[in-house]
Amino acid sequence: MKSQTIAPKRWWFIMPIVFITYSLAYLDRANFSFASAAGINDDLGITKGMSSLLGALFFLGYFFFQIPGALYAERRSVKKLIFWCLILWGGCASLTGVVSNIPMLAAIRFVLGVVEAAVMPAMLIYISNWFTKSERSRANTFLILGNPVTVLWMSVVSGYLIESFGWREMFIIEGIPAVIWAVAWWFLVQDKPAQAKWMSESEKAALQAQLQKEQEGIKAVRNYGEAFRNRNVILLCLQYFAWSIGVYGFVLWLPSILRNGSQMGMVEAGWLSAVPYLVATIAMIVVSWASDKTQNRKLFVWPLLLIGALAFLGSYLVGSSNFWLSYTLLVIAGGAMYAPYGPFFAIIPEMLPRNVAGGAMALINSMGALGSFVGSWIVGYLNGATGSPAASYIFMGAALLASVWLTLIVKPAQNKTPPPVHGAKHA
């Protein structure tokens, strides 16, 4: 059988669960941008500089707890870790709706980052336990699609909730689904294929054999220290740092940028904010399919980031003189920034053995969180200090150009190709 057809039911059992879980995580971190555009600053007496710091505090908590989360997921259980994270982040998100002062809001934003820190590396580890090399870019993409798809519908729903009730009620209502989903997660998920009752013994054996053969083709790495000193890991950390500056500056401040650009209401800003994420969703699916088909990961990362950078800079050059052209370029930038996630996160498990790959992905993702902190803080600061998003576009465009260069100098892994299993066609 082909490796792609080992237990095809895995896609139907696992991917909806993975998608919904990451989607709920993203909902509870991105809706802060709508509260910022809808009056939370005036209600709590938050200055523009303080607003950008509060938006960024999430990523500090996220940065510090990536690796501990990955270690627990790798050595203990993804299932238990995500169960408690779902309950805690849903609770924190709803609590945001009852805050009465800035220190309380700052504490909740930081704690929300801490409890969501484990989600991305734990889910990437989970996927690497269930999907083979020729499937991994697509599997990663279905995980990360939870990001743009959530912002797509959340942009519309949050706009209506704020318009109908207010920003407090929006936070309370949007935090509840994560707590409910925690119960479903507990009963639906198994850590390893060997524990799955819905797979036959022959399917489990074929999948395990294929995953084992892929590990044999990767050079041994003794421990995390050795993995973290790997040249490619360091370059990918720096690359993801720069890339995330562009992504999260964009995500957190797009509604405010749009409202400043054309004096529109929250519902209109919500609909216009949704369009880049629709484009991103389509681009991510196409790019991950092509990446798995060709098994060339870098080719589906740096050209798209280059397009994103040029679109940001183009939007800056157009400025406020032509809102719709500037907006179209922002849509292109958003789609191009999101498209490479699947291929990017397929690089590490193909370069490092299972015993250290999870920790390396967590390290890279934590540097992304640090980039997100820098991006969301500086973009917010530049918007407030200059009264225009123009400087932000230059900053995000330059960061993306740096990520293009760093991707280009990553050397491909020199792995021997593992022999096929049961006649599997190995890409």
Side-chain angles (χ1 to χ4, degrees):
M1 76 178 100
K2 293 182 180 181
S3 60
Q4 291 96 317
T5 60
I6 297 172
K9 67 185 84 167
R10 286 170 302 143
W11 292 94
W12 297 104
F13 272 82
I14 293 169
M15 280 300 118
I17 295 168
V18 162
F19 174 83
I20 290 168
T21 305
Y22 193 62
S23 194
L24 290 172
Y26 212 82
L27 167 66
D28 291 338
R29 84 173 70 162
N31 55 10
F32 187 77
S33 62
F34 278 84
S36 296
I40 188 173
N41 298 349
D42 294 336
D43 292 353
L44 296 181
I46 300 168
T47 63
K48 285 189 173 177
M50 179 59 73
S51 176
S52 59
L53 180 59
L54 284 167
L57 263 176
F58 168 91
F59 298 107
L60 272 186
Y62 197 78
F63 170 73
F64 285 117
F65 288 86
Q66 285 279 310
I67 293 173
L71 290 177
Y72 185 91
E74 208 164 44
R75 296 175 182 177
R76 299 283 185 87
S77 169
V78 172
K79 177 178 176 173
K80 289 178 183 174
L81 181 66
I82 299 296
F83 172 74
W84 287 110
C85 285
L86 277 160
I87 291 171
L88 289 169
W89 90 57
C92 282
S94 289
L95 278 174
T96 311
V98 299
V99 295
S100 56
N101 56 61
I102 295 171
M104 189 188 297
L105 179 59
I108 287 173
R109 291 297 297 170
F110 181 78
V111 172
L112 191 62
V114 170
V115 296
E116 283 191 26
V119 179
M120 181 72 159
M123 287 302 208
L124 290 168
I125 290 165
Y126 183 64
I127 284 169
S128 70
N129 290 339
W130 286 86
F131 293 94
T132 64
K133 180 179 176 181
S134 61
E135 303 168 317
R136 214 163 276 144
S137 178
R138 280 167 293 156
N140 288 344
T141 291
F142 277 108
L143 162 68
I144 300 162
L145 272 176
N147 171 328
V149 171
T150 300
V151 183
L152 176 64
W153 64 260
M154 182 209 73
S155 296
V156 177
V157 171
S158 294
Y160 278 111
L161 284 174
I162 289 169
E163 197 94 337
S164 303
F165 304 106
W167 63 264
R168 289 186 181 278
E169 289 78 4
M170 176 200 71
F171 278 124
I172 294 166
I173 292 166
E174 290 182 351
I176 293 167
V179 179
I180 296 169
W181 181 247
V183 180
W185 166 273
W186 184 258
F187 288 105
L188 290 170
V189 167
Q190 299 87 24
D191 278 306
K192 300 281 172 66
Q195 300 162 337
K197 292 183 173 65
W198 44 268
M199 283 174 71
S200 69
E201 293 304 318
S202 62
E203 286 171 333
K204 292 177 189 177
L207 178 57
Q208 191 54 46
Q210 181 65 22
L211 292 170
Q212 192 57 45
K213 286 293 180 187
E214 290 172 5
Q215 289 297 299
E216 289 168 12
I218 299 174
K219 182 184 172 187
V221 176
R222 286 168 300 180
N223 52 39
Y224 284 116
E226 189 179 333
F228 293 172
R229 292 192 299 274
N230 180 290
R231 176 183 181 273
N232 280 351
V233 171
I234 293 168
L235 287 175
L236 290 171
C237 282
L238 295 172
Q239 190 271 10
Y240 200 47
F241 173 87
W243 180 1
S244 297
I245 285 175
V247 171
Y248 281 92
F250 182 84
V251 169
L252 277 177
W253 296 103
L254 182 63
S256 297
I257 287 170
L258 290 177
R259 288 195 81 190
N260 290 343
S262 63
Q263 303 304 311
M264 65 184 67
M266 276 309 301
V267 172
E268 291 88 346
W271 277 103
L272 285 181
S273 295
V275 175
Y277 300 103
L278 176 61
V279 173
T281 300
I282 296 165
M284 285 174 76
I285 293 168
V286 173
V287 165
S288 66
W289 176 85
S291 168
D292 273 348
K293 198 80 175 166
T294 63
Q295 289 291 294
N296 187 331
R297 306 305 188 192
K298 279 173 59 173
L299 185 62
F300 293 94
V301 177
W302 71 263
L304 288 151
L305 295 180
L306 180 60
I307 290 168
L310 295 176
F312 263 131
L313 296 173
S315 190
Y316 155 71
L317 291 172
V318 171
S320 56
S321 60
N322 187 331
F323 173 80
W324 289 108
L325 178 57
S326 180
Y327 170 72
T328 301
L329 287 166
L330 281 183
V331 170
I332 293 167
M337 279 192 300
Y338 274 98
Y341 274 121
F344 179 80
F345 280 107
I347 292 171
I348 289 295
E350 294 169 12
M351 197 171 66
L352 293 172
R354 188 182 296 276
N355 65 312
V356 293
M361 286 190 288
L363 180 68
I364 291 166
N365 206 43
S366 70
M367 290 305 292
L370 196 60
S372 304
F373 173 80
V374 170
S376 53
W377 189 7
I378 293 181
V379 167
Y381 171 78
L382 289 173
N383 289 350
T386 63
S388 150
S392 302
Y393 294 167
I394 296 174
F395 174 63
M396 290 187 277
L400 288 173
L401 286 175
S403 74
V404 169
W405 175 69
L406 288 160
T407 308
L408 285 168
I409 61 175
V410 170
K411 292 177 182 173
Q414 300 297 314
N415 298 337
K416 59 178 189 271
T417 304
V421 180
H422 301 303
K425 187 175 82 179
H426 195 73

